[in-house]
Amino acid sequence: MLHIVNKSPSERNALDSCLRMAKKGSTILLIEDAVYAVTKGSTVESKMKAAMAKDIHVYALWPDLEARGMQDTVIDGIKQVDYPGFVDLVADNKNVQSWL
Amino acid sequence: MKFGILVNEGPYNHQAADTAYQFAKAAIDKGHEIHRVFFYHDGVNNASKLTEPPADDRNIVNRWSKMAEEHGVDLVVCVAAALRRGIVNENLASGFRISGLGQLVESGIQADRLVTFGD
Amino acid sequence: MSESTGGIDMDEESSGTVKKFAFINRKAPYGTIYALESLEVVLISAAFDQDVSLVFMDDGVYQLKKGQGTKAVGMKNFSPTYRALEGYDIEKLYVEKESLESRGLTEEDLIVDVEVLTAEEMATLMDEQDVVMSF
């Protein structure tokens, strides 16, 4: 399953709820303001690392990272995709949930 | 693959309409089919032809209209949500049509994936 | 029904296909319109004979709180509609345990009968769906 999160982790609880529901082997894509969750040294870093350690694949949409100037401090192990990569993630997962 | 897209926010206020557009464009470029884009909640404001952004900004409404024209994408505006917000046939941009919520449920049934963009 | 379903003739276009639809409600009522307009989609979905589940988690559990009275705010109280869902054959209502408990609520506080699931059970339920709509 693909989980899409678009909320800043310091403003809303969408990422926390997503992490509570994401099963082993599932994928999380961070877009829009959620890309702030991939920042090295932030308080969210440990949560993201814990998720990846649970075999959850974490991606961030790089056009959104770049728009916000956050492209140089991405936590190791988080993969970056562009819009065509976003399309592939949706196609490759059997269902998709947007954590609005 | 057939994609359905649900847009829940209006243009300019929230990035949802932009992300939905970029997703749809990338999907079409990759050879996928966009079964339908359904506009709900404030998303119905994506269909207002009265929108006039500054010349140096992207024109979100025209972008959708062009996508409908060039790729035959079905742009459907929810009638109940539209009436609540003053979107009627008289101010509907080209390529959009107003219809019922059943079009959204049907898109969920017919499309291989339904992706929601919103706030 | 054809007007509300967007003029779709269900017998021709959509019969035979039964998908698992989940509507995920994570927002409180009245502060924004999402809860009300989500309910409108749920009611329409009943006409399509799909396998529909409603999920209430995070602030979405407030949608089911007993005792809502909207006279003073001048808005429509749509909470009785949740009780009417049974008449539309929409009977799968799930509430996440953690969301309920962290808000100081119990099943007794809710206007309808629901099945309370742990986060893990809810995750499995979501994973099994074909279409997930969130508002």
Side-chain angles (χ1 to χ4, degrees), chain A residues 73-97:
Chain A
T73 51
V74 178
I75 299 164
D76 297 333
I78 291 181
K79 294 177 271 283
Q80 297 182 37
V81 288
D82 53 9
Y83 291 106
F86 182 174
V87 173
D88 290 341
L89 285 176
V90 173
D92 293 345
N93 283 274
K94 71 176 171 63
N95 53 10
V96 49
Q97 144 80 340

PDB file of all heavy atoms in Angstrom, chain A residues 73-97:
ATOM      1  N   THR A  73      19.578  18.373   2.906  1.00  0.00           N
ATOM      2  CA  THR A  73      19.660  17.832   4.268  1.00  0.00           C
ATOM      3  C   THR A  73      18.734  16.635   4.454  1.00  0.00           C
ATOM      4  O   THR A  73      18.106  16.469   5.494  1.00  0.00           O
ATOM      5  CB  THR A  73      19.289  18.919   5.302  1.00  0.00           C
ATOM      6  OG1 THR A  73      18.037  19.504   4.915  1.00  0.00           O
ATOM      7  CG2 THR A  73      20.351  19.986   5.388  1.00  0.00           C
ATOM      8  N   VAL A  74      18.657  15.817   3.395  1.00  0.00           N
ATOM      9  CA  VAL A  74      17.749  14.673   3.437  1.00  0.00           C
ATOM     10  C   VAL A  74      18.381  13.498   4.200  1.00  0.00           C
ATOM     11  O   VAL A  74      19.538  13.149   3.968  1.00  0.00           O
ATOM     12  CB  VAL A  74      17.373  14.238   2.007  1.00  0.00           C
ATOM     13  CG1 VAL A  74      16.470  13.005   2.024  1.00  0.00           C
ATOM     14  CG2 VAL A  74      16.677  15.387   1.284  1.00  0.00           C
ATOM     15  N   ILE A  75      17.612  12.914   5.096  1.00  0.00           N
ATOM     16  CA  ILE A  75      18.050  11.757   5.885  1.00  0.00           C
ATOM     17  C   ILE A  75      18.490  10.624   4.952  1.00  0.00           C
ATOM     18  O   ILE A  75      17.806  10.332   3.961  1.00  0.00           O
ATOM     19  CB  ILE A  75      16.884  11.265   6.784  1.00  0.00           C
ATOM     20  CG1 ILE A  75      16.444  12.364   7.759  1.00  0.00           C
ATOM     21  CG2 ILE A  75      17.253   9.983   7.526  1.00  0.00           C
ATOM     22  CD1 ILE A  75      15.083  12.116   8.393  1.00  0.00           C
ATOM     23  N   ASP A  76      19.624   9.994   5.278  1.00  0.00           N
ATOM     24  CA  ASP A  76      20.121   8.888   4.456  1.00  0.00           C
ATOM     25  C   ASP A  76      19.076   7.766   4.385  1.00  0.00           C
ATOM     26  O   ASP A  76      18.471   7.419   5.394  1.00  0.00           O
ATOM     27  CB  ASP A  76      21.412   8.307   5.061  1.00  0.00           C
ATOM     28  CG  ASP A  76      22.528   9.351   5.071  1.00  0.00           C
ATOM     29  OD1 ASP A  76      22.486  10.258   4.213  1.00  0.00           O
ATOM     30  OD2 ASP A  76      23.408   9.270   5.938  1.00  0.00           O
ATOM     31  N   GLY A  77      18.908   7.222   3.209  1.00  0.00           N
ATOM     32  CA  GLY A  77      17.978   6.099   3.054  1.00  0.00           C
ATOM     33  C   GLY A  77      16.624   6.513   2.501  1.00  0.00           C
ATOM     34  O   GLY A  77      15.839   5.680   2.056  1.00  0.00           O
ATOM     35  N   ILE A  78      16.335   7.824   2.554  1.00  0.00           N
ATOM     36  CA  ILE A  78      15.074   8.296   1.970  1.00  0.00           C
ATOM     37  C   ILE A  78      15.316   8.563   0.488  1.00  0.00           C
ATOM     38  O   ILE A  78      16.228   9.293   0.115  1.00  0.00           O
ATOM     39  CB  ILE A  78      14.563   9.561   2.691  1.00  0.00           C
ATOM     40  CG1 ILE A  78      14.129   9.181   4.111  1.00  0.00           C
ATOM     41  CG2 ILE A  78      13.391  10.190   1.918  1.00  0.00           C
ATOM     42  CD1 ILE A  78      13.581  10.312   4.937  1.00  0.00           C
ATOM     43  N   LYS A  79      14.499   7.915  -0.329  1.00  0.00           N
ATOM     44  CA  LYS A  79      14.689   8.035  -1.774  1.00  0.00           C
ATOM     45  C   LYS A  79      13.900   9.223  -2.319  1.00  0.00           C
ATOM     46  O   LYS A  79      12.873   9.610  -1.750  1.00  0.00           O
ATOM     47  CB  LYS A  79      14.258   6.734  -2.459  1.00  0.00           C
ATOM     48  CG  LYS A  79      15.162   5.547  -2.092  1.00  0.00           C
ATOM     49  CD  LYS A  79      14.695   4.243  -2.716  1.00  0.00           C
ATOM     50  CE  LYS A  79      13.714   3.478  -1.877  1.00  0.00           C
ATOM     51  NZ  LYS A  79      14.161   2.724  -0.747  1.00  0.00           N
ATOM     52  N   GLN A  80      14.401   9.792  -3.392  1.00  0.00           N
ATOM     53  CA  GLN A  80      13.703  10.927  -3.989  1.00  0.00           C
ATOM     54  C   GLN A  80      13.131  10.568  -5.348  1.00  0.00           C
ATOM     55  O   GLN A  80      13.760   9.866  -6.127  1.00  0.00           O
ATOM     56  CB  GLN A  80      14.663  12.110  -4.119  1.00  0.00           C
ATOM     57  CG  GLN A  80      15.159  12.589  -2.755  1.00  0.00           C
ATOM     58  CD  GLN A  80      16.066  13.795  -2.863  1.00  0.00           C
ATOM     59  OE1 GLN A  80      15.866  14.667  -3.694  1.00  0.00           O
ATOM     60  NE2 GLN A  80      17.087  13.856  -2.008  1.00  0.00           N
ATOM     61  N   VAL A  81      11.902  11.045  -5.596  1.00  0.00           N
ATOM     62  CA  VAL A  81      11.263  10.804  -6.905  1.00  0.00           C
ATOM     63  C   VAL A  81      10.752  12.123  -7.475  1.00  0.00           C
ATOM     64  O   VAL A  81      10.499  13.070  -6.729  1.00  0.00           O
ATOM     65  CB  VAL A  81      10.056   9.826  -6.810  1.00  0.00           C
ATOM     66  CG1 VAL A  81      10.521   8.405  -6.559  1.00  0.00           C
ATOM     67  CG2 VAL A  81       9.055  10.263  -5.735  1.00  0.00           C
ATOM     68  N   ASP A  82      10.597  12.146  -8.795  1.00  0.00           N
ATOM     69  CA  ASP A  82       9.946  13.285  -9.435  1.00  0.00           C
ATOM     70  C   ASP A  82       8.486  12.872  -9.723  1.00  0.00           C
ATOM     71  O   ASP A  82       8.046  11.817  -9.267  1.00  0.00           O
ATOM     72  CB  ASP A  82      10.705  13.681 -10.716  1.00  0.00           C
ATOM     73  CG  ASP A  82      10.902  12.475 -11.642  1.00  0.00           C
ATOM     74  OD1 ASP A  82      10.318  11.404 -11.366  1.00  0.00           O
ATOM     75  OD2 ASP A  82      11.643  12.603 -12.628  1.00  0.00           O
ATOM     76  N   TYR A  83       7.746  13.699 -10.483  1.00  0.00           N
ATOM     77  CA  TYR A  83       6.336  13.355 -10.728  1.00  0.00           C
ATOM     78  C   TYR A  83       6.166  12.018 -11.468  1.00  0.00           C
ATOM     79  O   TYR A  83       5.305  11.216 -11.074  1.00  0.00           O
ATOM     80  CB  TYR A  83       5.614  14.506 -11.443  1.00  0.00           C
ATOM     81  CG  TYR A  83       5.451  15.716 -10.534  1.00  0.00           C
ATOM     82  CD1 TYR A  83       6.228  16.856 -10.715  1.00  0.00           C
ATOM     83  CD2 TYR A  83       4.544  15.708  -9.474  1.00  0.00           C
ATOM     84  CE1 TYR A  83       6.099  17.961  -9.872  1.00  0.00           C
ATOM     85  CE2 TYR A  83       4.405  16.799  -8.622  1.00  0.00           C
ATOM     86  CZ  TYR A  83       5.186  17.925  -8.822  1.00  0.00           C
ATOM     87  OH  TYR A  83       5.065  18.994  -7.983  1.00  0.00           O
ATOM     88  N   PRO A  84       6.983  11.732 -12.510  1.00  0.00           N
ATOM     89  CA  PRO A  84       6.846  10.400 -13.136  1.00  0.00           C
ATOM     90  C   PRO A  84       7.106   9.265 -12.130  1.00  0.00           C
ATOM     91  O   PRO A  84       6.457   8.212 -12.178  1.00  0.00           O
ATOM     92  CB  PRO A  84       7.907  10.412 -14.241  1.00  0.00           C
ATOM     93  CG  PRO A  84       8.060  11.866 -14.581  1.00  0.00           C
ATOM     94  CD  PRO A  84       7.900  12.606 -13.283  1.00  0.00           C
ATOM     95  N   GLY A  85       8.049   9.496 -11.194  1.00  0.00           N
ATOM     96  CA  GLY A  85       8.314   8.494 -10.159  1.00  0.00           C
ATOM     97  C   GLY A  85       7.126   8.335  -9.212  1.00  0.00           C
ATOM     98  O   GLY A  85       6.823   7.241  -8.731  1.00  0.00           O
ATOM     99  N   PHE A  86       6.444   9.440  -8.943  1.00  0.00           N
ATOM    100  CA  PHE A  86       5.214   9.441  -8.138  1.00  0.00           C
ATOM    101  C   PHE A  86       4.170   8.548  -8.837  1.00  0.00           C
ATOM    102  O   PHE A  86       3.540   7.673  -8.200  1.00  0.00           O
ATOM    103  CB  PHE A  86       4.733  10.900  -8.028  1.00  0.00           C
ATOM    104  CG  PHE A  86       3.510  11.178  -7.202  1.00  0.00           C
ATOM    105  CD1 PHE A  86       3.117  12.504  -6.980  1.00  0.00           C
ATOM    106  CD2 PHE A  86       2.742  10.176  -6.620  1.00  0.00           C
ATOM    107  CE1 PHE A  86       1.994  12.805  -6.213  1.00  0.00           C
ATOM    108  CE2 PHE A  86       1.611  10.466  -5.856  1.00  0.00           C
ATOM    109  CZ  PHE A  86       1.237  11.794  -5.670  1.00  0.00           C
ATOM    110  N   VAL A  87       4.028   8.735 -10.147  1.00  0.00           N
ATOM    111  CA  VAL A  87       3.072   7.930 -10.921  1.00  0.00           C
ATOM    112  C   VAL A  87       3.425   6.444 -10.801  1.00  0.00           C
ATOM    113  O   VAL A  87       2.549   5.601 -10.578  1.00  0.00           O
ATOM    114  CB  VAL A  87       3.062   8.376 -12.402  1.00  0.00           C
ATOM    115  CG1 VAL A  87       2.205   7.425 -13.259  1.00  0.00           C
ATOM    116  CG2 VAL A  87       2.542   9.809 -12.532  1.00  0.00           C
ATOM    117  N   ASP A  88       4.729   6.135 -10.925  1.00  0.00           N
ATOM    118  CA  ASP A  88       5.161   4.732 -10.809  1.00  0.00           C
ATOM    119  C   ASP A  88       4.811   4.143  -9.440  1.00  0.00           C
ATOM    120  O   ASP A  88       4.389   2.992  -9.348  1.00  0.00           O
ATOM    121  CB  ASP A  88       6.679   4.624 -11.024  1.00  0.00           C
ATOM    122  CG  ASP A  88       7.080   4.890 -12.469  1.00  0.00           C
ATOM    123  OD1 ASP A  88       6.194   4.797 -13.354  1.00  0.00           O
ATOM    124  OD2 ASP A  88       8.256   5.210 -12.712  1.00  0.00           O
ATOM    125  N   LEU A  89       5.011   4.936  -8.391  1.00  0.00           N
ATOM    126  CA  LEU A  89       4.699   4.434  -7.043  1.00  0.00           C
ATOM    127  C   LEU A  89       3.214   4.097  -6.918  1.00  0.00           C
ATOM    128  O   LEU A  89       2.842   3.087  -6.324  1.00  0.00           O
ATOM    129  CB  LEU A  89       5.080   5.474  -5.977  1.00  0.00           C
ATOM    130  CG  LEU A  89       6.574   5.638  -5.679  1.00  0.00           C
ATOM    131  CD1 LEU A  89       6.797   6.776  -4.679  1.00  0.00           C
ATOM    132  CD2 LEU A  89       7.168   4.340  -5.136  1.00  0.00           C
ATOM    133  N   VAL A  90       2.357   4.960  -7.496  1.00  0.00           N
ATOM    134  CA  VAL A  90       0.916   4.687  -7.442  1.00  0.00           C
ATOM    135  C   VAL A  90       0.596   3.424  -8.240  1.00  0.00           C
ATOM    136  O   VAL A  90      -0.169   2.564  -7.791  1.00  0.00           O
ATOM    137  CB  VAL A  90       0.104   5.892  -7.978  1.00  0.00           C
ATOM    138  CG1 VAL A  90      -1.387   5.534  -8.087  1.00  0.00           C
ATOM    139  CG2 VAL A  90       0.285   7.110  -7.068  1.00  0.00           C
ATOM    140  N   ALA A  91       1.225   3.302  -9.420  1.00  0.00           N
ATOM    141  CA  ALA A  91       0.953   2.143 -10.272  1.00  0.00           C
ATOM    142  C   ALA A  91       1.456   0.839  -9.637  1.00  0.00           C
ATOM    143  O   ALA A  91       0.816  -0.200  -9.742  1.00  0.00           O
ATOM    144  CB  ALA A  91       1.601   2.343 -11.644  1.00  0.00           C
ATOM    145  N   ASP A  92       2.597   0.918  -8.947  1.00  0.00           N
ATOM    146  CA  ASP A  92       3.218  -0.288  -8.398  1.00  0.00           C
ATOM    147  C   ASP A  92       2.592  -0.794  -7.101  1.00  0.00           C
ATOM    148  O   ASP A  92       2.863  -1.911  -6.672  1.00  0.00           O
ATOM    149  CB  ASP A  92       4.722  -0.051  -8.158  1.00  0.00           C
ATOM    150  CG  ASP A  92       5.474   0.144  -9.477  1.00  0.00           C
ATOM    151  OD1 ASP A  92       4.900  -0.185 -10.530  1.00  0.00           O
ATOM    152  OD2 ASP A  92       6.622   0.643  -9.444  1.00  0.00           O
ATOM    153  N   ASN A  93       1.799   0.064  -6.443  1.00  0.00           N
ATOM    154  CA  ASN A  93       1.131  -0.368  -5.216  1.00  0.00           C
ATOM    155  C   ASN A  93      -0.331  -0.657  -5.519  1.00  0.00           C
ATOM    156  O   ASN A  93      -0.958   0.049  -6.306  1.00  0.00           O
ATOM    157  CB  ASN A  93       1.230   0.723  -4.146  1.00  0.00           C
ATOM    158  CG  ASN A  93       2.612   0.764  -3.514  1.00  0.00           C
ATOM    159  OD1 ASN A  93       2.887   0.051  -2.572  1.00  0.00           O
ATOM    160  ND2 ASN A  93       3.497   1.589  -4.070  1.00  0.00           N
ATOM    161  N   LYS A  94      -0.903  -1.671  -4.863  1.00  0.00           N
ATOM    162  CA  LYS A  94      -2.253  -2.071  -5.255  1.00  0.00           C
ATOM    163  C   LYS A  94      -3.329  -1.102  -4.768  1.00  0.00           C
ATOM    164  O   LYS A  94      -4.423  -1.050  -5.313  1.00  0.00           O
ATOM    165  CB  LYS A  94      -2.559  -3.505  -4.814  1.00  0.00           C
ATOM    166  CG  LYS A  94      -2.752  -3.705  -3.323  1.00  0.00           C
ATOM    167  CD  LYS A  94      -3.144  -5.156  -3.022  1.00  0.00           C
ATOM    168  CE  LYS A  94      -3.136  -5.474  -1.534  1.00  0.00           C
ATOM    169  NZ  LYS A  94      -4.092  -4.704  -0.748  1.00  0.00           N
ATOM    170  N   ASN A  95      -3.010  -0.324  -3.743  1.00  0.00           N
ATOM    171  CA  ASN A  95      -3.958   0.706  -3.314  1.00  0.00           C
ATOM    172  C   ASN A  95      -3.207   1.890  -2.697  1.00  0.00           C
ATOM    173  O   ASN A  95      -2.023   1.786  -2.387  1.00  0.00           O
ATOM    174  CB  ASN A  95      -5.015   0.147  -2.352  1.00  0.00           C
ATOM    175  CG  ASN A  95      -4.418  -0.579  -1.175  1.00  0.00           C
ATOM    176  OD1 ASN A  95      -3.215  -0.538  -0.942  1.00  0.00           O
ATOM    177  ND2 ASN A  95      -5.254  -1.257  -0.414  1.00  0.00           N
ATOM    178  N   VAL A  96      -3.925   3.005  -2.577  1.00  0.00           N
ATOM    179  CA  VAL A  96      -3.279   4.236  -2.156  1.00  0.00           C
ATOM    180  C   VAL A  96      -4.181   5.024  -1.202  1.00  0.00           C
ATOM    181  O   VAL A  96      -5.394   5.083  -1.398  1.00  0.00           O
ATOM    182  CB  VAL A  96      -2.856   5.082  -3.384  1.00  0.00           C
ATOM    183  CG1 VAL A  96      -3.995   5.219  -4.370  1.00  0.00           C
ATOM    184  CG2 VAL A  96      -2.333   6.442  -2.997  1.00  0.00           C
ATOM    185  N   GLN A  97      -3.546   5.557  -0.155  1.00  0.00           N
ATOM    186  CA  GLN A  97      -4.300   6.334   0.827  1.00  0.00           C
ATOM    187  C   GLN A  97      -3.614   7.677   1.018  1.00  0.00           C
ATOM    188  O   GLN A  97      -2.397   7.737   1.243  1.00  0.00           O
ATOM    189  CB  GLN A  97      -4.362   5.542   2.144  1.00  0.00           C
ATOM    190  CG  GLN A  97      -4.290   6.343   3.433  1.00  0.00           C
ATOM    191  CD  GLN A  97      -5.625   6.969   3.817  1.00  0.00           C
ATOM    192  OE1 GLN A  97      -6.514   7.137   2.993  1.00  0.00           O
ATOM    193  NE2 GLN A  97      -5.750   7.345   5.070  1.00  0.00           N
TER     194      GLN A  97
END
